[in-house]
Every structure is written in C-alpha cells, then in structure tokens.
Amino acid sequence: MNTLRDAAVFEALQRAMGDDAEIIQVTSRLITFANRLECDLRTAHYRLLDSLLRAAGPDRTLVMPAFTLSYGKSRRYDPIRDKPETGVLVIAAWERDWMRTRRPMMNWVAWGARADEIMAQNQTTALGGDSVAAWLVNQDARAIGVGVTDVHHGWVVVHRAEEICQVPYRYYKKMPGELFIDGQPHGTCEEVLYANPLLANIGHTYAQLTERLSSAGELLNNDDPLFPLRAVQCRRVVDRSIELLEANTLAFVAHRDEARKWLSDLKGQELGELKPEERFDMSEVP
C-alpha cells in the first residue's frame, strides 16, 4: 500500500485553504485514507488535526460541525462532557479544548483568531440568519472536505439554502431541554431545527450541486488519489443551491415520490402531532 506522507497532506491542505480565506470550515471522513498515513491508525485523527493547524497558521480560524444529534432523544446537553457525533477529527479538536457553541444539537467547535465571533452567534434556528452557518456564508469562509469522495456530499451550509428557500419538505420544530456545564445543571437550552419529515423517508442527494459547482470551476479537487480532498467557498455552495432549488424545489430529495406523498397526505398529520412546546412561531425567525 502506498504511504501518504505528512508533507503531502500539509501541502494539499494549504492548497485547499487558499491564500485569502480567513475562516476554514472543515468536514472529514478519515475512513477513506487514514490507513495510508505515516502513523498508527489509532492516532490518525490527532495527526491530521496537527496538519490542519499547521496549514492554517496562527492568523486563520478553523471551525467544524460538532453536532450531537442524540440530543433529539436525550434532551440534555453538556458541551464539556458530550462527545461530538461528527467524527474522530472533531472529537480530537474537542479533546484539545477547542471552543464549543452551546446550542445542544447543531453545535460547532472553533479555534483561532475569530473563534469568539463564532461563539457569539445567537442561532435562533439551527441554520437561520443568525446561525453559525449563516455567519460562515456571510464571511465567505472556505469549506474543505477532507476524505470526501461521495458526489452526493452536500456540505453543511447547503441546509442554509434550504432554509432560505423554505423548501416544503422541512418544517420548524423546537426542541427544548436541559443544559449542563461539566456535569452541573446550568438552566435550559433549546434547538430549533428546520426538520426533515419523521413520517417519510425522503432521503437526500446533492449530486446536482457537485456537478453545478464543478462545471462552474468553483470546486477544487486534490489531484492525489491517496488523499481525497475538496474545497469550495461557502457562499458559492449556497448560491448554487438556491439556483437549483428555485428551478426545482425537490432538487435535493432522493425519493421524490415519497416526498410528494408526505406533502399531500402526511405533512398536516405530522405538524398536528407536535407538542405545544415543540411549535415554533415563524415571527421569531430573524
């Protein structure tokens, strides 16, 4: 098996980050390349994190989604003790005391010059106008997908476009719960999702988005097959997504017949079954 050397990883990350971006948003899938790295597989996530930090340098800001989707059932969140559920690279950052936002489900870890600004985002809804995702778009952050090979991969900020376009296959759902800080009760918390249906499996596919970004020359791909890596400006992801959704509101839905059935027969039922504390007033959206 060919070995992926540290120098090659570092140089590819530098190219992906570019020269101008101050903020780098990272998603990762280490399973596609970790066994090729010059290190023990058990420490690959720490090795990659070190490479990311070196490539970013002291003046940039790194940010990664650290979502805890299990909050949907547990309804309790502790940013100190609850492991991120978005992969081992994010866990490595969390273990090294990166700053972490306090929204209980769609939370983020950040390090660097502007991490405080990320922590300050109010996030009325998980991907709304005052969310971390919106801030990344407004700041024209650079998104990089490390180890991403799937053409259906949609980038985190694609869901910002779905909320902007108010796609009909999602609806607002408030999820109140308890906040703990290092095991100690710290009041309440809540997440407001622009949620997927529970009564239908509509699936998602973002192949059209990948094709649109590629054809426009906006998606950078690493040439080295040993190290899958993609990069794009967050703003372009949202702009191109809006174009596709305005042309076809179900552009990102994999099972469109299921979605149409839910919209015609089941959406009213699902909304009607929301508890009073789960209902969200649209006037609260900034």
Side-chain angles (χ1 to χ4, degrees), residues 14 37 87 109 131 136 178 186 218 231 284:
Q14 277 196 318
L37 293 172
V109 293
S131 67
L136 292 170
E178 298 175 281
H186 206 77
E218 295 164 346
E284 299 178 50

Side-chain angles (χ1 to χ4, degrees), residues 241-275:
S241 297
I242 289 173
E243 290 174 6
L244 290 165
L245 290 169
E246 287 180 342
N248 178 3
T249 192
L250 299 182
F252 299 149
V253 173
H255 309 304
R256 295 182 182 178
D257 288 343
E258 287 286 323
R260 293 186 184 100
K261 178 176 175 57
W262 181 80
L263 288 167
S264 63
D265 300 341
L266 299 172
K267 185 174 183 177
Q269 175 187 337
E270 189 160 327
L271 293 177
E273 291 175 353
L274 290 175
K275 300 173 183 177

